[in-house]
Amino acid sequence: MAKETNIRGVAKIEIGLPGDGVVGTSLTEFKGSVVALNSLSIDGGDASETTIATEGDDSYLTVGTGSTPATSTFKLLEVVGTDAVMILGGSYDGPSKTWSAPKLKPNKYLSVVITDLEGNQVVFPYAKVAGKHVGNITKSELLSLEIKITANTPVSAAGIEGSPLQVVHV
């Protein structure tokens, strides 16, 4: 792969409500300073196959039986207020600056766009988002929000299916 098409570093991560089978138009931006890592883990997913015997002879046929979706895991710092509600669910009281966890973890499906230092993007138009608070609260450590996203196939109201994962080079 050419040097100019490599994806390097994380400049920002944007998260928000998906559009109609596409990435949402109003995403919340988390700049690199609040992304608690210098790298991002992305697993492109795997295809699974099975081999079946054919009738009448000793030959075999290998067919695809499904696949596992692409996933990504990262941590964000300074996630508060309505941003915490968007990712984790629950409620936020502005005057008291209090986020309250939901009784049950909700199923959240959001658009996620990860932009590297050169402007290249990894795009999850419709991703299952699961978040949790992790870390220690000390003088030198911060509580962070660990987020795992799993690509899902976006489907528009017209029934048109889109790509679950896109890599866009500038």
Side-chain angles (χ1 to χ4, degrees):
M1 181 179 287
K3 192 174 187 179
E4 61 271 4
T5 60
N6 287 333
I7 297 200
R8 292 181 295 263
V10 177
K12 65 181 177 179
I13 295 177
E14 298 168 284
I15 303 172
L17 294 175
D20 183 22
V22 296
V23 173
T25 56
S26 179
L27 303 179
T28 300
E29 182 177 304
F30 298 92
K31 294 233 185 242
S33 61
V34 298
V35 178
L37 72 161
N38 291 326
S39 65
L40 179 73
S41 168
I42 297 177
D43 180 2
D46 295 309
S48 55
E49 297 178 341
T50 189
T51 302
I52 56 174
T54 57
E55 283 188 45
D57 60 32
D58 292 333
S59 63
Y60 292 89
L61 178 65
T62 301
V63 295
T65 57
S67 63
T68 57
T71 61
S72 178
T73 303
F74 53 89
K75 292 181 183 178
L76 296 176
L77 304 172
E78 302 176 17
V79 178
V80 296
T82 55
D83 295 340
V85 173
M86 172 183 61
I87 297 168
L88 299 171
S91 61
Y92 180 72
D93 179 53
S96 68
K97 297 181 182 180
T98 303
W99 171 77
S100 298
K103 291 180 183 178
L104 298 172
K105 262 194 170 176
N107 287 316
K108 292 284 194 168
Y109 295 91
L110 302 169
S111 290
V112 180
V113 178
I114 302 159
T115 304
D116 80 348
L117 300 173
E118 302 297 322
N120 301 306
Q121 295 180 326
V122 177
V123 180
F124 293 82
Y126 187 70
K128 169 84 166 69
V129 177
K132 63 181 178 180
H133 287 103
V134 296
N136 298 311
I137 302 174
T138 66
K139 289 182 180 181
S140 62
E141 295 183 52
L142 296 172
L143 188 63
S144 64
L145 185 61
E146 183 177 272
I147 299 172
K148 179 179 181 181
I149 57 176
T150 304
N152 282 264
T153 302
V155 181
S156 71
I160 299 170
E161 291 185 358
S163 173
L165 174 69
Q166 302 162 351
V167 178
V168 181
H169 297 283
V170 292

